[in-house]
Amino acid sequence: MKRILIIGGGASGMMAAIFAKRSGVDVVILEHGNKLGKKILATGNGRCNFTNIEQRPDCYRGDEPTFGWNGIRQFSAQDTIRFFLELGIYSKNRNGYLYPHSDQASAILSVLLAELDRLGVQVETNIEVKEIFPGKPFRVRAVRHLFSEERKSKKRTILVKTGEEAVSFKGDAVILACGGMAAPSTGSDGSGLALAETLGHSIVSCTPALVQICCRESWFRELSGVRASAGIRLLVDGEIQAADTGEVQFTDYGLSGIPAFQVSRYASKAFGRKENEMPEVRAEIDFLPEFTMEQAAAFLKNRIRLLEDRPMDQFFVGLFHEKIGQLLVRLASLGGEKKAGDLEEDEIQRIIKLTKCLSAVVTGTNGFEQAQVCAGGVSTKEIDGETMESRIVPGLYFAGEIMDVDGICGGYNLQWAWSSGQIAGRHAAIEDGKENI
């Protein structure tokens, strides 16, 4: 019987294992952690936004932007919903974002583990793969980390490493599903990228994505903890690279919230470029994103007429958070006691511009520890998009975040894991050009 070795037991690895095993082949998962699917438990703030109803090509990014969408077309969001429904997950729709009805990420992991067990997939944990030797069969050299339990209290037991032993595995095909570099505490430590590189694959430089943005201005400390409905435009050397609108969260160091996450990859990529000169990266915050500049100007001028006797330190009350209003007035170099009706035209223009385009210098992003996903990975130019098989090493397949595909925030990265895992698992299991499913 054909045997498939899957290196990595996250979302894409488990998906690949299920579909390969359903094809009637022998499947072994080699996971370097002590449990499968740790990263799933952290998704969606513990609720697991496992896919999204709204799917578009531009939801998936990478050096080859069409590669990800090609995989999604083969195993769609609707396919994902049906797959999990068959496993017992009834989904809840929140504006297109799909969650398990229980609002528990553990439910997604639980049904995947149950299906692996039902199918009889062999799971080997605490396995650190050191080297892969291509051939017929593939040979995998690894070490098994050994642990013993140490009781700290009646309720707490920890694992203590006691040693390691050399182990090896053989298989007719190998699927690399080791993740990228984001959230290394959950297992995505970049080790899979190193393995791919030793097998001749090129790695697109990895940077944090879906992560907080760090800015230079000291006034962010004044807004720390404030949330506002706003737009963010990310500019690199004066050119808009990305924009998004939603609830922006201000921190003492910069910007967080979904709009910041959505544009963050472009800041990371800009700073990750190997050039002599550092790029100029700016974030422009729009506090009236539902208005054009002309509409905002008309709206604010009318507000000035209506509130002409109101001092400027109270002008934005009822429109923006108090701290935002006070900051805009101060940055416009207006005295708080000055009445709205006494504003000169140049002062009005400063208020309008700041309200629609509060600019901040971006100095970087938070690191991989805080990032939800990694931008970059194994170059998709070297992977067959129809099968996820390597164009360099026959019998080697890829699934999930290890490839240079990253989705926007909202369940898209898990959808990529399900889609690419299903494709890789199904095609790795094919014998003599015929599918058994």
Side-chain angles (χ1 to χ4, degrees), residues 336-347:
E337 296 180 358
K338 187 169 188 174
K339 292 184 178 180
D342 294 334
L343 292 178
E344 302 292 336
E345 181 59 28
D346 63 325
E347 294 173 324

Side-chain angles (χ1 to χ4, degrees), residues 382-414:
E382 301 166 355
I383 302 170
D384 185 332
E386 296 299 318
T387 64
M388 301 298 151
E389 185 175 15
S390 166
R391 298 186 187 276
I392 296 172
V393 182
L396 175 67
Y397 296 79
F398 297 92
E401 194 182 336
I402 192 171
M403 291 180 277
D404 177 30
V405 176
D406 59 291
I408 64 174
C409 196
Y412 296 96
N413 288 288
L414 271 178

Side-chain angles (χ1 to χ4, degrees), residues 366-382:
N366 278 351
F368 285 115
E369 294 78 9
Q370 288 80 39
Q372 292 183 18
V373 72
C374 164
V378 177
S379 173
T380 53
K381 294 177 182 178
E382 301 166 355

